[in-house]
Amino acid sequence: MDERSVFALTPDELRQRFERAFDLDCDLDPMILRARLLRQRGSNPQARCLEQELLPLF
């Protein structure tokens, strides 16, 4: 993979990198995404409960 500075990339190359990263992020488990959303909304107790449910999986 080309490791040039991000500032040296063309807009098309930046878009391609973003799309590759986005594809990787979308493979996350929906429960992890839900816990992340709960935290962003300030529902920390609910997020912690959901994370506790995931602990045996990891």
Side-chain angles (χ1 to χ4, degrees), residues 33-47:
L33 294 174
R34 178 70 177 153
R36 187 181 295 171
L37 179 65
L38 287 168
R39 282 206 185 280
Q40 289 173 350
R41 291 184 176 174
S43 301
N44 291 329
Q46 291 88 348

Side-chain angles (χ1 to χ4, degrees), residues 6-28:
V6 174
F7 299 106
L9 298 174
T10 67
D12 284 336
E13 291 170 325
L14 287 170
R15 182 184 47 76
Q16 289 171 352
R17 276 196 182 188
F18 172 75
E19 287 175 356
R20 281 195 305 265
F22 186 71
D23 287 341
L24 293 173
D25 191 42
C26 287
D27 289 336
L28 292 175

